[in-house]
Amino acid sequence: MAVFSPSATTFYSNITVYLQCYFLTIAYMLGTGILGLPVTLARAGFTPFLFMMTICLVAQIISIILITDAIQKLVYVQLHAEISLADNDPTNVKESYDGIPLAESSVTDESCFSDGDSAEERSLFSKTESSSDEMPAVNIFILAKVFLPKILSCASTMNFLFYFSVAGISYALAGSQAYAEVFHINSALTVTPFFCWLLNLLAVFGRKLVSPLVSVLTLFKGSLLLVAAIIAFVVGTTVHDRISNDFRYAGDTFMLVTVAVGGTYLTLPFLFTKIKYVEHEIRYLRISTTFGLITVYILEILWCWATLDVVPQIDPCSVSLSQTNNGTYCLPPDYTLQSAAENGEISTIPFTKVINLVYPQYRWIATLISLFIMVSITVSYLYNATVLAHTVEGVIASWWKESWNKSDFMEVKCQNVTSSLANIVFLSVIFIVAMFNPKSFLEVVEKMMSLVVNFGLGFFMSIIVWKCTSGKYRDLDVL
């Protein structure tokens, strides 16, 4: 398939959209992983962690490409095959699709170009369908409903909603603790209601503000992390902590690595709502999302390396200080990554302890790290709540169409109210669980989120990709 370059004017006019996609990807991924990953390296060390991270990065890039193609085929099926989403029987999908020969309906045909597009900017819209510039609904729920049998579609929808809910719980737990630490509040439970509901209301009712706000805050928190990593490397030149690597314990890092760089494809349907379905915009969406994932990969590696360079893994006497005569120095027993893992602490706690003890002139770095955590978790929670609300709205819209099949003003208004109420219910569940389980951050992240990502989402998304690349969907051209 030939690739055509859009004009520089077209690219620069949409560069803010691509930058938003780039920062939104970072915002979603750079959250729990950066806080929990270094703690899992107590026995494994840096090299096994780097190996696992690289494998997961390659797998995620491949998944971005495949899911982007699947979303395009979803759009095409809704536009051209006239599949009734009210009936998700796969036989009906096949029969409806069989009514349009591929030779006559492929997107490579001239009838599928938009009115204002040249042959260099192929589109998924036909001339008659693109006149209103309306785009079909795109979300995780509809993707599963079109390409999966009814039972699997229902199961996958529950799994997707469960994943976003679990992620929201982990962010609520970590965010409340971060704000309580910064503002010197004794109980994180006091912060949780304000943290959750201010962001919940913004995600449900202030959707247009989310993307630019998240983009700006992501740039800010990325800068904070770089400064913290640089200071950590400076301290590391004095501490000289010996890093031990053991591939026998590479599995220790697997669970959190899959959370740290996994699940990027879940945000693609939401990001698709920000672009037009033409070739160059889809291509740049892929690029911006991939670069966002690579940026997270680099930042997380730098932070883990910097932490290992400062904080002992297991032995508190494994460090050496340049200012001591014999070159050895023993830190307190709870100043290690292993101790942090046993106590359910995030990586920044032992890091700031070592900084305050060994390099007191850099004590301000503790404030910087606390600020980074606060901003990072705020952004991650807000964006996760937004994607959750987007998915719930897709479920409600499909159910509403099946039940009423009307589009007058009052019906649309009732649908919007129902969607908002459903979002409030889901977000209320996140809030309630966070209030009653305030000390389970690492357990939620490492156990529940990893389980859902690896065995739940991976299973359903694999079937969707297989369905999109086989049978009648195999020969559908994508941009």
Side-chain angles (χ1 to χ4, degrees):
M1 180 179 68
V3 177
F4 302 97
S5 300
S7 64
T9 303
T10 304
F11 172 77
Y12 287 111
S13 64
N14 296 326
I15 192 170
T16 55
V17 175
Y18 308 135
L19 285 176
Q20 282 189 15
C21 294
Y22 170 77
F23 283 117
L24 287 173
T25 302
I26 297 176
Y28 187 74
M29 303 306 301
L30 194 62
T32 54
I34 202 72
L35 302 178
L37 267 179
V39 177
T40 66
L41 309 183
R43 296 189 301 176
F46 183 74
T47 304
F49 156 74
L50 182 61
F51 177 74
M52 298 294 293
M53 281 284 287
T54 304
I55 292 178
C56 289
L57 174 68
V58 174
Q60 284 300 306
I61 292 176
I62 294 174
S63 70
I64 289 174
I65 296 173
L66 294 176
I67 298 302
T68 304
D69 290 347
I71 294 174
Q72 292 181 69
K73 292 182 179 182
L74 168 67
V75 174
Y76 184 82
V77 163
Q78 293 182 87
L79 285 172
H80 297 279
E82 299 178 353
I83 294 178
S84 175
L85 294 181
D87 188 355
N88 48 20
D89 185 351
T91 57
N92 288 344
V93 172
K94 182 178 183 301
E95 291 172 1
S96 178
Y97 182 75
D98 285 343
I100 300 181
L102 279 175
E104 297 179 9
S105 61
S106 174
V107 294
T108 56
D109 190 79
E110 292 182 358
S111 64
C112 294
F113 295 112
S114 298
D115 284 335
D117 295 331
S118 64
E120 294 185 354
E121 294 188 43
R122 298 186 301 146
S123 170
L124 292 175
F125 293 104
S126 66
K127 290 183 178 180
T128 57
E129 291 163 329
S130 63
S131 57
S132 62
D133 204 29
E134 290 290 334
M135 297 184 182
V138 174
N139 54 64
I140 286 287
F141 169 72
I142 296 180
L143 183 67
K145 191 167 188 180
V146 169
F147 293 115
L148 293 179
K150 185 174 183 179
I151 295 179
L152 289 181
S153 175
C154 295
S156 66
T157 300
M158 295 176 61
N159 189 266
F160 294 145
L161 295 176
F162 180 70
Y163 170 78
F164 290 128
S165 300
V166 170
I169 293 170
S170 69
Y171 295 142
L173 293 172
S176 300
Q177 294 174 10
Y179 275 88
E181 180 180 350
V182 171
F183 294 104
H184 305 289
I185 300 174
N186 294 330
S187 175
L189 292 178
T190 307
V191 182
T192 303
F194 300 97
F195 175 81
C196 289
W197 285 110
L198 287 176
L199 298 179
N200 288 345
L201 294 176
L202 183 59
V204 176
F205 301 107
R207 192 75 53 82
K208 292 183 179 180
L209 300 176
V210 170
S211 295
L213 178 61
V214 167
S215 299
V216 173
L217 291 178
T218 301
L219 179 61
F220 177 62
K221 77 172 185 178
S223 302
L224 290 177
L225 181 61
L226 282 177
V227 173
I230 291 172
I231 297 300
F233 283 120
V234 172
V235 174
T237 60
T238 301
V239 175
H240 301 303
D241 183 25
R242 295 187 297 271
I243 301 176
S244 62
N245 301 298
D246 194 339
F247 273 92
R248 291 179 301 173
Y249 300 108
D252 292 355
T253 68
F254 174 75
M255 301 286 277
L256 267 183
V257 163
T258 55
V259 174
V261 293
T264 311
Y265 50 81
L266 292 175
T267 66
L268 286 174
F270 177 74
L271 297 179
F272 253 77
T273 63
K274 299 184 173 299
I275 66 171
K276 296 180 180 179
Y277 299 157
V278 293
E279 184 174 14
H280 71 275
E281 294 207 14
I282 293 175
R283 182 168 66 248
Y284 286 130
L285 173 64
R286 279 200 193 103
I287 294 174
S288 60
T289 305
T290 302
F291 270 96
L293 179 62
I294 294 174
T295 301
V296 172
Y297 168 81
I298 294 173
L299 289 175
E300 290 179 342
I301 286 177
L302 288 176
W303 174 246
C304 289
W305 187 7
T307 304
L308 285 171
D309 207 27
V310 172
V311 183
Q313 292 170 252
I314 298 176
D315 184 10
C317 296
S318 64
V319 300
S320 60
L321 301 179
S322 58
Q323 60 263 40
T324 59
N325 294 328
N326 57 6
T328 60
Y329 184 81
C330 286
L331 295 171
D334 60 339
Y335 281 42
T336 64
L337 293 177
Q338 184 181 43
S339 175
E342 292 173 352
N343 296 325
E345 298 174 344
I346 58 179
S347 59
T348 54
I349 293 179
F351 180 84
T352 53
K353 286 180 179 179
V354 175
I355 292 291
N356 292 336
L357 179 65
V358 178
Y359 231 132
Q361 61 266 42
Y362 285 114
R363 284 181 177 175
W364 55 269
I365 198 67
T367 304
L368 186 68
I369 291 176
S370 298
L371 184 60
F372 161 76
I373 295 174
M374 186 178 70
V375 175
S376 178
I377 298 301
T378 300
V379 169
S380 297
Y381 183 93
L382 177 59
Y383 189 39
N384 181 80
T386 302
V387 177
L388 172 62
H390 181 253
T391 304
V392 171
E393 289 169 3
V395 175
I396 297 298
S398 178
W399 171 79
W400 202 270
K401 184 177 180 180
E402 293 176 3
S403 302
W404 301 94
N405 198 25
K406 295 180 181 180
S407 58
D408 58 80
F409 175 77
M410 289 304 298
E411 293 294 345
V412 172
K413 188 174 181 179
C414 291
Q415 177 184 331
N416 293 336
V417 172
T418 304
S419 298
S420 298
L421 291 176
N423 285 327
I424 294 298
V425 169
F426 272 94
L427 295 172
S428 297
V429 172
I430 294 175
F431 166 71
I432 293 172
V433 174
M435 286 293 292
F436 283 94
N437 198 13
K439 295 184 179 180
S440 62
F441 170 70
L442 287 179
E443 184 176 352
V444 168
V445 174
E446 186 173 0
K447 302 298 191 302
M448 296 184 67
M449 284 186 66
S450 183
L451 180 67
V452 175
V453 168
N454 295 314
F455 300 102
L457 300 181
F459 172 75
F460 294 115
M461 298 308 291
S462 297
I463 297 178
I464 291 175
V465 170
W466 170 76
K467 188 69 177 292
C468 291
T469 55
S470 61
K472 293 295 182 178
Y473 303 109
R474 178 179 55 194
D475 297 325
L476 277 178
D477 195 9
V478 293
L479 304 182

